[in-house]
């Protein structure tokens, strides 16, 4: 087994992915990356600091990888729904340049910078994965309600970045997979203010989301690279 890198390991989904990967039989090294050290880490898991809005910290984290161990997967689990206490915009009247730029920095630019420094570490001669958590609301084709301008637009930008990264990656690493993933509505701090209208069966635990996302990734092939997939394995329209 090669190494796994989880970016955003202090968040709900990130921490659940770290725990699940570390518990796999014959698990390879797991590197947990986050701004602050997680309260608990499974035995053997390494932690390093990272800030996706500070490119130098991304480079340092990537340079900390053991070059002798192949890198099997890099999973970016970061994201921001509301910025600096501002709720998602319900109307164009609520649009503010500062909040829009912060949404793009967190949801699109940060993962793109992670790709810049971690994709070159992926092996050329074996299957490997780079995946970032997106959201169904970032689907342009699936947008029938409007609203949530900054979050929708920044996640749509992330989807386009992932698709474009996958095209270039395929030229250098034909066995690699680069995808966006929709984890569903997960019971985390990100979704907590917006769970009132979510039925119990539609609100997932981080552990369930982590299990499903890893199963989805395990079922993908290089031919799926560049796609956008939901927790149940179904493609999400762009």
């Amino acid at each position: 087994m090669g190494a796994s890198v989880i970016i955003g390991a202090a968040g709900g989904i990130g921490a659940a992915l770290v725990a699940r990967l570390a518990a796999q039989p014959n698990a390879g090294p797991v590197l947990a990356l986050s701004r602050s050290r997680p309260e608990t880490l499974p035995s053997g898991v390494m932690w390093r600091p990272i800030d996706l809005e500070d490119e130098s910290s991304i480079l340092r984290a990537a340079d900390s990888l053991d070059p002798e161990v192949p890198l099997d997967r890099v999973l970016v689990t970061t994201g921001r729904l509301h910025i600096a206490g501002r709720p998602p915009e319900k109307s164009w009247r609520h649009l503010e340049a500062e909040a829009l730029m912060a949404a793009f920095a967190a949801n699109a630019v940060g993962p793109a910078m992670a790709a810049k420094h971690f994709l070159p570490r992926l092996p050329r001669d074996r299957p490997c994965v780079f995946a970032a958590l997106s959201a169904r609301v970032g689907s342009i084709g699936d947008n029938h309600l409007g609203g949530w301008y900054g979050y929708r637009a920044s996640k749509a930008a992330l989807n386009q970045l992932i698709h474009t990264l996958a095209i270039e990656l395929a030229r250098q690493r034909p066995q690699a997979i680069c995808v966006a993933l929709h984890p569903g509505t997960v019971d985390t701090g990100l979704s907590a203010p917006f769970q009132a209208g979510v039925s119990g069966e539609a609100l997932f635990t981080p552990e369930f989301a982590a299990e499903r996302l890893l199963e989805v990734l395990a079922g993908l092939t290089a031919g799926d690279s560049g796609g956008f997939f939901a927790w149940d394995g179904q493609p999400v329209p762009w």
Side-chain angles (χ1 to χ4, degrees), residues 42-56:
S43 176
V45 172
M46 299 171 289
W47 175 80
R48 298 286 186 274
I50 196 170
D51 180 351
L52 290 190
E53 296 183 34
D54 177 1
E55 188 175 356
S56 63

Side-chain angles (χ1 to χ4, degrees), residues 126-188:
R126 59 186 278 162
C128 51
V129 170
F130 180 95
L133 292 191
S134 186
R136 186 177 292 275
V137 297
S139 165
I140 295 173
D142 196 51
N143 181 4
H144 306 293
L145 297 176
W148 290 31
Y149 284 85
Y151 191 62
R152 284 188 189 276
S154 58
K155 288 297 190 180
L158 171 62
N159 296 342
Q160 180 67 279
L161 285 163
I162 289 292
H163 188 75
T164 306
L165 290 164
I167 293 171
E168 182 177 359
L169 183 64
R171 299 179 186 135
Q172 305 171 11
R173 293 160 173 81
Q175 298 184 66
I177 298 169
C178 180
V179 292
L181 297 173
H182 168 55
T185 303
V186 184
D187 188 11
T188 65

Side-chain angles (χ1 to χ4, degrees), residues 66-85:
D66 185 346
E68 300 300 319
V69 180
L71 182 56
D72 277 355
R73 60 182 65 82
V74 179
L75 308 181
V76 183
T77 69
T78 56
R80 213 182 282 177
L81 176 51
H82 47 97
I83 309 298

Side-chain angles (χ1 to χ4, degrees), residues 54-133:
D54 177 1
E55 188 175 356
S56 63
S57 82
I58 302 171
L59 177 58
R60 286 193 296 272
D63 282 345
S64 73
L65 294 171
D66 185 346
E68 300 300 319
V69 180
L71 182 56
D72 277 355
R73 60 182 65 82
V74 179
L75 308 181
V76 183
T77 69
T78 56
R80 213 182 282 177
L81 176 51
H82 47 97
I83 309 298
R86 298 180 179 92
E89 312 93 338
K90 294 183 179 180
S91 165
W92 62 60
R93 297 188 302 274
H94 304 143
L95 290 172
E96 297 179 5
E98 180 184 2
L100 285 172
M101 289 188 288
F104 274 81
N107 296 323
V109 178
M113 293 298 99
K116 174 182 176 180
H117 293 289
F118 281 93
L119 289 182
R121 270 73 174 183
L122 293 176
R124 295 176 180 269
D125 59 351
R126 59 186 278 162
C128 51
V129 170
F130 180 95
L133 292 191

